[in-house]
Amino acid sequence: MPGKNLSREEARDRAAIIRVESYRVHLDVSAAADPGRPTFRSTTRISFDCAEPGATSFADLLAPEVVSVELNGLALDPAEVFDGARVTLPVLAAHNELTVVAECAYSRTGEGLHRFVDPADGETYLYTHYEPADARRVFANFEQPDLKAPFTFTVTAPAAWDVYANAVQERITDEGAARTWEFAPTRPISTYLTAVVAGPYHVVRDHYTRELPDGTRLEIPLAATCRRSLAPHFDADEILTVTKQGLDFFHQEFDYPYPFGKYDQCFVPEYNIGAMENPGCVTFREEFVFRSKVTEAAYESRANVILHEMAHMWFGDLVTMKWWDDLWLKESFADFMGSYAQIGAGTRYRSAWITFANRRKAWAYRQDQFPTTHPITADIRDLEDAKLNFDGITYAKGASVLKQLVAYVGRDAFFEGARAYFRKHAFGNTVLTDLLDALEETSGRDLRAWSAAWLQTSGVNTLTPELVHDAEGRITELAVRQDGTPLRPHRIAVGLYDLAEDGALLRTDRYELDVAGERTVVAAAAGRPVPALVLVNDDDLTYCKVRFDERSLETLRTGLGGLADEAGPDAPSLARALAWSAVWNLTRDGLMPTRDYLDLVLRFAGRESDVGVLQSLHQQADSALAVYADPARRAEYATALAECALRELSQAAPGSDHQLAWARFLADTAERADHLQLLRGLLDGTGRIDGLTVDQELRWSFWLALASHGRASAEELAAELERDNTAGGRRQRAQCLAALPTPEAKAAAWAAVVDSDELPNALVEAEIAGFNRPGQRELTAPYAAPYFEALETVWAERSIEIAMRIVGGFFPRYQTTPETLAATDAWLSTRPDAAPALRRLVLECRDDLARALRAQECDAQ
Ligand SMILES: [Zn+2]
């Protein structure tokens, strides 16, 4: 296995002979604020046993320079034992002491130890991010999840800084301009879960206490941190409230005391993902510190992430998958718990399951229809496979299937199984059967068949109602047809809806049943008058695509907006969210013309009371317009959507979330001169909408609209940056510049990202987002050929995080033509030996493109 990769077999062989007793890691980042210093000193001492004395093995390390290697008192020549990715360990003894001193590189890609300089005040901030295998960029180790050990971190940092790690600090030693922080040993954890955060972070401290069943008190110090310049926007109270609600809830449900001492939550800059569950030191993307007004959906999403990471303290950190095949064992659970706990813990976010049905599942459906989809329990051959598997299957489909499992075995058996699993496997590693054993024991049900159907196969089933009625309009037979391979057992609810006098569509009947095989009759419905709407998978118990019979679809065309739960037509409704999700799937599948979908949005989005659902409608309408619409009709649709946005914006309650959402949607859809002029007026203060605060983030979204239509100059964008000279401002300006409709702007963005690796991850993302704009097809068309030519070089030379962004971001997805499809196929057929992970990404882009072409064809008929 060449280079930086590590195969499952190598990991298995290594785990068979090695048992790690402890790590001691010292990092010297005292000169981190000096941008001329590309590296820091890393010293690792590993004590470990080898079951086969005399055997050879290796440690992992990605470092520009190894200073010294000492094994059992014997100095080894780095030039001989270090190849850039591994340190060969020749002739191991029964017990071994390995010390590796290296110069490791500060990262600009968010992988390893990331260094960031705040443009607002010049301060330097560091944090680590490792999953799946980047701890080896910071210290020598055995980088695989099943070689757990206690870690003792010592960090030498500038005297004015604070340092956070997984455990509490034991002592701080002053050394003039620097201080050395020594942390307590952790409990046994995996390398990818270790963490260090260092810098002049702003911190808010709090405390959680709880009486345990045995009468002792559990004390958990809490901290929440962010960059100093973000402190005025930091609503730590809200974050800590959700944190305490979550700690109450998980203690009550999991009945296993939080095992990692203290709980820090660090909001860090230029973070690649949402958050990471490092025990005792969770890292979050700092965009969760809101510097402008956001909607309640953003707060809900943040609370979801806080609870997701907290669930990992048990699912993932206390009990960890043996290898990345079973990544779902932690991610599916955490994803499920993120929603479940929002309701269960009594947070103020009551729409969790609506959001889950509408947004989270959309991610799963998309991923599960790619040719590259995989079972929830995946086949992960190596680290590149692992990196790509943090996907819609592992997270959202896995969570959906767990929701189905709760419906199948019952809530009590599910949680009793989880409790038994934690007790049995605490600080250990597990595979699928360990979990099934625990759940079978508590539920008394055989879960092997369930697991085979749901966890070990891929693909999504479609459920369609089939209704036959008599001459009097009474149901003769209502059945649910199941399509897709394999057919699966589903626990579902079928809802029947009728129109009330006020036009609302209300549920009159609900039948809960097990669906199995191709066709299942809903016997209880016979004899009832034919309803206006049949909704299969009402209440969203299972994971499937929902279809409608003809009559139901006609009802939705005129009445979707009136679909309501008991709480009334103005309340958020799960049934309505499910209907929106179903019509979106019909559109994506080329079964509903894009114009019909957009017509539903035009008619009913204005009535959608759940702002999260509304915002996903906006996103989907944007996508529909960009890639699913008949190109000949695109301009007409865009105008209609912008007019709709304008109308709703003027009618929304002043200062409301809905008003903000519509303002953003107007910026997304504005193309006509008068609409763009309106945005400009809002920016320069000559225009005003009652209650709408045009704050900094909204200003940037207006500038992006103006820039991409050639109505903003580089000077104006520079002036806006002057006004907002922050990290966020720099990213936004970079995006706006890349979005300018000129060949020069496109060339500059391409060169900055593809031809150079100078930019940090966050600016790479901004440049790509600006480059690839749906309205600029002619300008970006010349880059399709260079894109395919660059792919393999990019994959070989760039870090995987950046390579993934380039491959996905520069794919000519707005060139929705048969020619682009042919070029993609040509690349795939002539590169059978390209890295499998790279081929997977290109195959997924190809599938999106083919789907767009089918949808366009449907819309053109
Ligand atoms: Zn997670």
Side-chain angles (χ1 to χ4, degrees), residues 277 308 312 331 334 395:
E277 68 266 20
H308 173 123
H312 273 314
E331 292 308 343
Y395 284 69

Side-chain angles (χ1 to χ4, degrees), residues 628-836:
Y628 296 155
D630 174 10
R633 294 200 168 106
R634 227 181 250 142
E636 169 199 332
Y637 296 160
T639 300
L641 288 168
E643 293 284 349
C644 169
L646 200 52
R647 188 179 66 242
E648 297 299 335
L649 178 58
S650 63
Q651 288 173 4
S656 65
D657 284 0
H658 280 64
Q659 188 187 43
L660 175 60
W662 284 109
R664 288 192 189 149
F665 188 55
L666 177 62
D668 289 343
T669 49
E671 283 186 1
R672 246 174 38 193
D674 55 331
H675 295 149
L676 292 165
Q677 194 52 39
L678 192 124
L679 297 181
R680 185 166 269 285
L682 289 169
L683 274 171
D684 65 22
T686 57
R688 230 186 127 261
I689 290 169
D690 190 25
L692 183 72
T693 308
V694 185
D695 56 20
Q696 194 56 59
E697 292 294 338
L698 195 55
R699 289 184 66 83
W700 281 118
S701 64
F702 291 172
W703 279 119
L704 180 62
L706 293 172
S708 41
H709 290 94
R711 286 168 183 263
S713 67
E715 292 71 35
E716 286 175 313
L717 297 171
E720 190 67 24
L721 180 64
E722 194 85 350
R723 190 189 162 110
D724 180 31
N725 191 15
T726 63
R730 288 197 176 187
R731 285 200 297 276
Q732 297 279 11
R733 203 241 336 209
Q735 183 180 351
C736 289
L737 285 175
L740 289 171
T742 64
E744 293 75 24
K746 300 300 156 192
W750 175 273
V753 174
V754 182
D755 301 339
S756 153
D757 64 356
E758 291 294 302
L759 289 183
N761 52 347
L763 285 175
V764 165
E765 192 172 86
E767 295 277 354
I768 292 174
F771 176 93
N772 222 347
R773 303 287 299 166
Q776 301 179 341
R777 293 176 177 82
E778 291 77 18
L779 282 165
T780 51
Y783 292 87
Y787 167 83
F788 289 111
E789 280 157 27
L791 283 177
E792 281 164 297
T793 310
V794 163
W795 197 259
E797 292 179 359
R798 309 299 283 275
S799 79
I800 191 162
E801 188 67 48
I802 300 296
M804 283 166 68
R805 282 174 204 217
I806 294 176
V807 175
F810 280 114
F811 182 80
R813 66 181 181 280
Y814 298 127
Q815 317 296 334
T816 34
T817 61
E819 291 72 34
T820 314
L821 195 63
T824 313
D825 286 336
W827 186 90
L828 285 164
S829 62
T830 52
R831 265 55 162 216
D833 300 327

Side-chain angles (χ1 to χ4, degrees), residues 218-446:
L218 178 70
E219 305 284 349
I220 307 176
L222 307 176
T225 77
C226 69
R227 282 187 289 128
R228 267 184 202 169
S229 63
L230 280 178
H233 308 293
F234 196 36
D235 56 338
D237 283 357
E238 171 60 21
I239 290 163
L240 291 164
T241 297
V242 174
T243 303
K244 291 176 192 173
Q245 288 170 326
L247 286 168
D248 272 345
F249 179 74
F250 288 124
H251 277 97
Q252 177 194 310
E253 296 296 332
F254 292 166
D255 192 30
Y256 190 105
Y258 172 70
F260 300 109
K262 51 95 184 181
Y263 199 68
D264 299 338
Q265 297 177 96
C266 304
F267 292 79
V268 298
E270 299 187 330
Y271 203 52
N272 283 328
I273 56 170
M276 179 67 207
E277 68 266 20
N278 316 302
C281 189
V282 181
T283 36
F284 293 82
R285 68 187 293 114
E286 69 174 16
E287 286 72 9
F288 283 128
V289 179
F290 306 121
R291 55 188 209 118
S292 290
K293 179 179 164 69
V294 294
T295 68
E296 184 74 353
Y299 288 96
E300 182 197 300
S301 158
R302 183 177 69 181
N304 183 303
V305 174
I306 289 171
L307 295 168
H308 173 123
E309 303 311 326
M310 193 181 287
H312 273 314
M313 297 299 133
W314 290 266
F315 275 114
D317 296 0
L318 177 65
V319 183
T320 311
M321 71 274 153
K322 188 174 170 57
W323 177 249
W324 303 102
D325 310 78
D326 278 313
L327 178 60
W328 77 281
L329 271 176
K330 70 182 183 76
E331 292 308 343
S332 304
F333 277 87
D335 214 55
F336 171 73
M337 288 295 167
S339 298
Y340 189 86
Q342 280 195 62
I343 305 294
T347 72
R348 71 178 158 104
Y349 309 103
R350 310 312 292 166
S351 291
W353 288 122
I354 292 178
T355 307
F356 185 81
N358 191 250
R359 295 181 84 103
R360 217 56 184 168
K361 280 193 166 176
W363 185 25
Y365 298 140
R366 174 169 180 263
Q367 194 95 40
D368 212 5
Q369 294 174 85
F370 282 145
T372 56
T373 189
H374 55 85
I376 292 172
T377 60
D379 176 26
I380 301 299
R381 295 156 295 187
D382 57 35
L383 290 176
E384 284 198 358
D385 276 0
K387 182 76 184 175
L388 263 68
N389 239 37
F390 292 81
D391 65 9
I393 301 300
T394 305
Y395 284 69
K397 183 182 178 184
S400 308
V401 164
L402 289 178
K403 195 175 182 214
Q404 168 71 180
L405 181 62
V406 173
Y408 185 65
V409 301
R411 184 192 173 286
D412 293 346
F414 178 80
F415 278 98
E416 189 47 54
R419 288 190 279 270
Y421 174 77
F422 295 139
R423 282 194 296 272
K424 183 164 180 198
H425 300 287
F427 301 106
N429 294 83
T430 52
V431 294
L432 166 66
T433 46
D434 295 314
L435 181 79
L436 293 183
D437 287 348
L439 289 169
E440 284 185 340
E441 179 122 6
T442 54
S443 71
R445 295 184 84 146
D446 179 358

